[in-house]
């Protein structure tokens, strides 16, 4: 590697560090400051006016016939709960809305107290800043349901009805009925006195709490998902502020999703004029993001009948979400295009099959690594065969280098001629690797997104969806953090070993810098993978072990060098096809050599 190449690599790394320290971090702090100001303004704007003195429900009901005076509603907030074996839902009569959804048996990973992890069950929709309300007009008067107090009628532990009595004898009713055994809540609204031409506007603001230990990753896998009728699901950006307005088509569902849990509102008839927005909070904020969704329901759809909806409040369980048959399972961030397809229709079925056979998730990762390696072995065989042919030609290539040691251009030209003569493709080992890339990228998304791996331990890793905190550092490194993942470190070391064995048959004379880059890149990627899911780095480490074993077996047992040499001699006698990649590359090198010779002549003059 020459001096310019070394300087270039050092500058690239330096730019990454400087950008993180002086641009990225200050920008996040500034964003936090702006959000704090916006939230303060919003709280002032939403402050409720002073309430009238409390009257009993009986007094209110008796006064309905007197339309000359406004209805006075109770102003005392009351909480009520519905629950089943999966959920405990808390409702408030102020707004007739959910104020908390506790997921039983699912625990937070984020948060410590006096050095000990806080054991607390996962809660959704629990932030006091949240808003879930309907806005509408009756007889010229504007209403916001979150400012209204509702009468409560509870039939049993799983059903409750909230009724708001409005001016002129009108009513607004919300009914909730919890599924006896699951994460589903049947929900309907109805109204009397609402004109058919007047729409009801839904306004939902949701502050997402930090739930996972690796909340930085959770932050970039939480957003608003939605599905327009006759379209594939879509979502707001996960990595920046984003807003998507849908004024034309109806939306079948809207989901406010964390990495592993979601709150999804489903409408069989569909919502009109939907708008969805995600606002990224600062890293130092107690919340991950603020999600905002708005939509409209036409007054005609509420005329004389309830408007039926459904809530799903629970884990991102693929099977449960797919059971709705509305593509809600697409909120699980398995990736889109070919990568999402590979995960949903190949990797996940393999995982489910193994899960039925083996309970331990770490063992499943080992088996998945082995099975995937078997499936791609034909590609791996081609790569090993190409490496074996390169190794067989290495003595001749070394002779060419020695013969033309003072002329790099001629050295490269003669090397390409030899490759062409013996029928060897110097890139033959690269193409099989490229063909395997979709599988590797798909697996990169699979492990951190699959809830079955959440809080499952293996060896020293306590949670396979988060990084394994093997060593706590007394300092923080940019891009690396203040902990060291052992699986990520073992992956880096095994990659260096694999690169060493793989490069023995490779010729770096055309680009000597690549010889050093193959060792530098794993170290750079180690910084990136240090905070990656332990399930993924565990898979990558096991995959490297199998790659090393495969390379050694191929070198010493699979390919006989005498047979390879005989194959090359046979290729030498065969007629060569015109055209092709080698010939084009050779022609380019000839032109490059001619240019260099012309430059040399001009310098002498």
């Amino acid at each position: 590697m020459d001096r310019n190449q070394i300087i270039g690599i050092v500058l690239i790394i330096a730019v990454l560090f400087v950008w993180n320290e002086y641009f990225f971090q200050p920008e996040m702090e500034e964003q936090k400051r702006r959000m704090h100001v916006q939230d303060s303004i919003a709280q002032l704007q939403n402050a409720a006016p002073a309430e009238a003195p409390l009257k009993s429900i009986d007094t209110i009901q008796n006064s309905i016939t007197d339309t000359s005076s406004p209805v006075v509603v109770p102003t005392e907030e009351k909480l009520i709960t519905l629950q089943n074996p999966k959920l405990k839902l808390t409702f408030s009569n102020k707004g007739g809305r959910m104020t908390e959804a506790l997921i039983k048996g699912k625990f937070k990973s984020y948060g410590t107290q006096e050095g000990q992890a806080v054991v607390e069950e996962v809660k959704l929709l629990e932030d006091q800043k949240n808003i879930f309300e309907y806005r509408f007009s009756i007889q010229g008067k504007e209403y916001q349901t979150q400012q209204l107090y509702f009468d409560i009628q509870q039939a049993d532990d799983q059903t409750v009805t909230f009724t708001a009595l409005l001016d002129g004898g009108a009513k607004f009713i919300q009914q909730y009925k919890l599924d006896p055994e699951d994460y589903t809540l049947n929900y309907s609204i109805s109204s009397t006195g609402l004109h058919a031409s007047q729409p009801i506007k839904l306004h939902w603001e949701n502050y997402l709490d930090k739930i996972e230990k690796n909340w930085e990753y959770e932050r970039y896998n939480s957003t608003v998902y939605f599905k327009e009728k006759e379209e594939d699901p879509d979502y707001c950006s996960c990595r920046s502020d984003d807003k998507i307005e849908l004024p034309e088509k109806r939306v079948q569902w809207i989901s406010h999703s964390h990495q592993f849990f979601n709150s999804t509102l489903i409408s069989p008839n569909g919502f009109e004029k939907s708008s969805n927005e995600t606002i990224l909070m600062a890293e130092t904020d107690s919340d991950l993001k603020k999600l905002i969704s708005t939509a409209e329901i036409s007054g005609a759809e509420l005329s004389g009948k309830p408007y039926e909806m459904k809530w799903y409040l629970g884990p991102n369980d693929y099977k449960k979400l797919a059971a709705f048959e509305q593509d809600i399972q697409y909120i699980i961030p398995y990736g889109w295009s070919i990568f999402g397809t590979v995960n949903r229709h190949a990797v996940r079925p393999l995982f489910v099959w193994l899960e039925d056979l083996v309970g331990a998730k770490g063992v499943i990762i080992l088996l998945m690594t082995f099975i995937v390696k078997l499936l791609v072995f034909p590609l791996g065989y081609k790569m090993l065969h190409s490496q074996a042919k390169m190794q067989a030609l290495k003595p001749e290539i070394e002779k060419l280098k020695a013969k033309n040691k003072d002329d790099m251009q001629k050295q490269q030209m003669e090397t390409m001629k030899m490759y062409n003569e013996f029928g060897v493709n110097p890139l033959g080992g690269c193409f099989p690797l490229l063909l395997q890339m979709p599988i590797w990228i798909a697996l990169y998304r699979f492990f951190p997104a699959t809830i079955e791996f959440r809080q499952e331990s293996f060896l020293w890793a306590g949670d396979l969806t988060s990084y394994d905190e093997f060593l706590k550092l007394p300092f923080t490194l940019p891009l690396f953090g203040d902990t060291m993942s052992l699986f990520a470190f073992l992956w880096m070391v095994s990659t260096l070993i694999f690169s060493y064995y793989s490069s023995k048959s490779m010729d770096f004379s055309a680009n000597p810098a690549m010889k050093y880059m193959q060792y530098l890149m794993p170290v750079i990627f180690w910084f990136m993978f240090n905070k990656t899911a332990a399930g993924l780095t565990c898979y990558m480490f096991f995959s490297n072990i199998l790659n090393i074993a495969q390379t050694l077996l191929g070198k010493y047992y699979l390919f006989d060098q005498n047979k390879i040499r005989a194959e090359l001699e046979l290729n030498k006698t065969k007629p060569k096809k015109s055209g092709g990649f080698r010939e084009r590359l050779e022609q380019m090198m000839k032109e490059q050599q001619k240019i260099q010779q012309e430059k040399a002549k001009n310098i002498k003059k």
Side-chain angles (χ1 to χ4, degrees):
M1 183 182 291
D2 63 26
R3 185 183 63 180
N4 292 337
Q5 291 167 336
I6 294 173
I7 293 173
I9 292 170
V10 171
L11 286 175
I12 290 172
I13 296 173
V15 167
L16 289 174
F17 281 108
V18 171
W19 176 81
N20 179 72
E21 289 295 310
Y22 298 100
F23 293 91
F24 181 72
Q25 295 291 349
E27 173 62 22
M28 295 307 297
E29 292 298 324
E30 175 62 17
Q31 187 178 37
K32 177 192 172 186
R33 186 192 65 78
R34 292 197 301 266
M35 285 303 306
H36 179 73
V37 173
Q38 292 173 2
D39 289 344
S40 300
I41 295 172
Q43 288 177 1
L44 290 173
Q45 291 175 339
N46 292 329
E51 305 286 358
L54 176 64
K55 285 192 178 184
S56 68
I57 295 297
D58 291 337
T59 305
I60 296 171
Q61 291 173 337
N62 292 333
S63 67
I64 290 177
T65 55
D66 182 12
T67 59
S68 61
S69 60
V71 174
V72 180
V73 296
T75 57
E76 180 183 356
E77 184 174 14
K78 295 180 181 179
L79 301 179
I80 191 169
T81 61
L82 303 180
Q83 58 181 317
N84 64 16
K86 303 286 188 183
L87 289 172
K88 180 181 178 182
L89 306 178
T90 303
F91 299 84
S92 170
N93 69 324
K94 186 178 182 183
R97 66 186 183 95
M98 270 186 289
T99 58
E100 181 181 287
L102 184 145
I103 317 298
K104 294 183 179 181
K106 305 294 184 183
F107 296 93
K108 289 182 65 173
S109 301
Y110 177 76
T112 58
Q113 188 173 350
E114 297 180 356
Q116 299 295 322
V118 175
V119 180
E120 181 182 342
E121 289 180 301
V122 172
K123 297 175 183 177
L124 307 177
L125 308 176
E126 88 293 353
D127 199 295
Q128 293 183 355
K129 302 186 293 293
N130 284 355
I131 297 174
F132 187 91
E133 67 179 7
Y134 296 95
R135 299 172 180 178
F136 55 90
S137 174
I138 294 180
Q139 297 180 0
K141 183 173 181 180
E142 301 291 333
Y143 292 94
Q144 293 178 226
T145 57
Q146 194 146 317
Q147 303 301 325
L148 299 175
Y149 287 84
F150 286 68
D151 178 25
I152 304 172
Q153 295 176 339
Q154 185 170 14
D156 51 49
D157 288 342
Q158 294 171 352
T159 306
V160 65
T161 302
F162 293 95
T163 304
L165 306 173
L166 312 175
D167 286 350
K171 297 180 181 180
F172 188 85
I173 303 168
Q174 301 183 77
Q175 185 176 68
Y176 302 88
K177 184 174 179 60
L178 182 61
D179 186 282
E181 299 292 337
D182 213 345
Y183 299 102
T184 304
L185 177 69
N186 292 305
Y187 173 51
S188 68
I189 61 173
S190 57
S191 176
T192 61
L194 180 70
H195 195 274
S197 63
Q198 293 292 323
I200 285 183
K201 298 179 180 179
L202 168 64
H203 186 87
W204 181 12
E205 294 185 15
N206 188 12
Y207 289 81
L208 300 186
D209 189 20
K210 294 176 180 176
I211 296 176
E212 306 304 325
K213 174 185 175 182
N214 192 357
W215 59 264
E216 295 99 330
Y217 191 88
E218 179 188 19
R219 190 166 180 252
Y220 293 128
N221 284 275
S222 304
T223 189
V224 183
Y225 291 83
F226 54 88
K227 184 182 185 302
E228 297 177 83
K229 284 196 171 183
E230 312 302 330
E231 299 288 345
D232 292 331
D234 201 354
Y235 62 101
C236 291
S237 172
C238 295
R239 292 186 170 269
S240 62
D241 293 356
D242 191 20
K243 185 175 183 178
I244 299 177
E245 296 183 343
L246 308 165
E248 302 297 332
K249 291 187 178 181
R250 285 178 174 258
V251 173
Q252 290 180 293
W253 51 262
I254 299 170
S255 181
H256 289 190
S257 181
H258 287 76
Q259 182 181 355
F260 292 115
F261 300 92
N262 73 88
S263 308
T264 301
L265 184 60
I266 308 165
S267 170
N269 293 334
F271 300 109
E272 298 177 336
K273 298 181 180 179
S274 173
S275 172
N276 296 289
E277 182 177 6
T278 179
I279 299 172
L280 199 65
M281 310 298 279
E283 289 187 6
T284 53
D285 201 285
S286 60
D287 298 308
L288 290 171
K289 292 181 179 179
K290 177 182 179 181
L291 308 182
I292 305 173
S293 294
T294 62
E296 288 189 5
I297 302 169
S298 70
E301 292 182 271
L302 283 164
S303 181
K305 59 181 179 180
Y307 184 81
E308 302 289 346
M309 291 174 279
K310 195 182 292 285
W311 279 100
Y312 177 86
L313 303 147
N316 293 352
D317 185 299
Y318 191 92
K319 186 176 180 180
K320 290 183 181 297
L321 297 177
F324 287 99
E325 297 183 347
Q326 296 195 47
D327 294 333
I328 303 178
Q329 69 271 21
Y330 279 78
I331 70 173
I332 301 175
Y334 280 151
W336 298 89
S337 187
I338 186 174
F339 309 117
T341 301
V342 169
N343 273 330
R344 294 184 185 93
H345 303 295
V347 179
R348 181 164 184 85
L350 173 62
F351 164 75
V352 172
W353 178 68
L354 290 174
E355 190 180 28
D356 290 338
L357 297 176
V358 183
K361 298 302 186 292
V363 177
I364 290 176
I365 293 175
L366 285 172
L367 292 174
M368 288 182 70
T369 309
F370 185 72
I371 292 171
V372 170
K373 190 60 64 179
L374 283 178
L375 292 174
V376 300
F377 182 74
L379 298 175
Y381 180 86
K382 290 182 179 180
M383 179 181 69
L384 293 173
H385 191 201
S386 177
Q387 289 177 352
K389 289 192 288 185
M390 293 283 290
Q391 184 69 25
L393 276 182
K394 197 166 185 181
E396 280 77 4
I397 294 174
E398 292 298 330
K399 290 177 182 177
L400 282 177
K401 287 182 181 179
K403 184 179 179 180
N404 302 284
K405 59 182 179 180
D406 297 326
D407 191 341
M408 287 296 298
Q409 288 290 331
K410 190 173 182 181
Q411 189 180 120
Q412 294 171 18
M413 286 281 297
E414 294 299 323
T415 301
M416 290 307 301
K417 284 181 181 180
M418 180 175 289
Y419 286 150
N420 190 44
E421 184 179 2
F422 286 96
V424 175
N425 184 354
L427 300 178
C430 300
F431 290 128
L433 290 174
L434 293 175
L435 292 173
Q436 295 177 53
M437 286 299 291
I439 297 175
W440 292 341
I441 297 174
L443 289 169
Y444 179 84
R445 300 297 298 268
F446 180 78
F447 291 107
T450 302
I451 194 170
E452 286 86 350
F453 289 108
R454 184 178 185 267
Q455 295 181 351
E456 291 286 341
S457 61
F458 180 59
L459 298 178
W460 52 82
D463 185 346
L464 288 171
T465 62
S466 183
Y467 55 90
D468 58 296
E469 190 175 326
F470 183 75
L471 183 64
K472 184 74 174 178
L473 303 177
F475 50 83
T476 300
L477 292 173
L479 304 177
F480 190 83
D482 59 354
T483 62
M484 190 185 83
S485 162
L486 183 55
F487 273 130
F489 177 76
L490 291 174
W491 168 82
M492 185 263 294
V493 173
S494 60
T495 302
L496 293 174
I497 295 172
F498 178 62
S499 299
Y500 170 76
Y501 279 109
S502 298
S503 63
K504 280 189 170 183
S505 62
M506 298 176 69
D507 177 24
F508 295 101
S509 58
N511 190 355
M514 290 301 297
K515 182 176 182 179
Y516 302 97
M517 284 299 296
Q518 68 173 341
Y519 298 116
L520 179 61
M521 291 308 295
V523 178
I524 294 175
F525 278 105
W526 175 39
F527 274 66
M528 296 172 55
F529 291 144
N530 188 59
K531 285 293 185 75
T532 302
L536 173 64
T537 49
C538 174
Y539 172 87
M540 292 163 60
F541 169 59
F542 291 148
S543 182
N544 272 354
I545 297 298
L546 291 177
N547 286 337
I548 294 169
Q550 180 179 270
T551 302
L552 293 177
L553 288 172
K555 180 177 180 180
Y556 294 109
Y557 299 102
L558 196 57
F559 298 105
D560 185 284
Q561 283 295 306
N562 293 326
K563 290 182 179 180
I564 291 292
R565 186 69 201 187
E567 180 185 344
L568 293 176
E569 293 296 336
L570 181 62
N571 289 339
K572 187 177 180 181
T573 62
K574 293 179 180 178
K576 303 298 182 293
K577 295 180 181 180
S578 60
F581 174 75
R582 290 192 196 91
E583 188 169 319
R584 290 197 298 271
L585 182 60
E586 188 176 340
Q587 185 62 36
M588 288 172 59
M589 293 180 70
K590 285 181 179 178
E591 292 177 1
Q592 186 67 26
Q593 186 181 30
K594 189 181 292 184
I595 292 171
Q596 292 295 332
Q597 290 172 351
E598 290 294 330
K599 286 183 178 179
K601 289 180 181 178
N602 292 333
I603 292 173
K604 289 180 180 179
K605 290 179 180 179

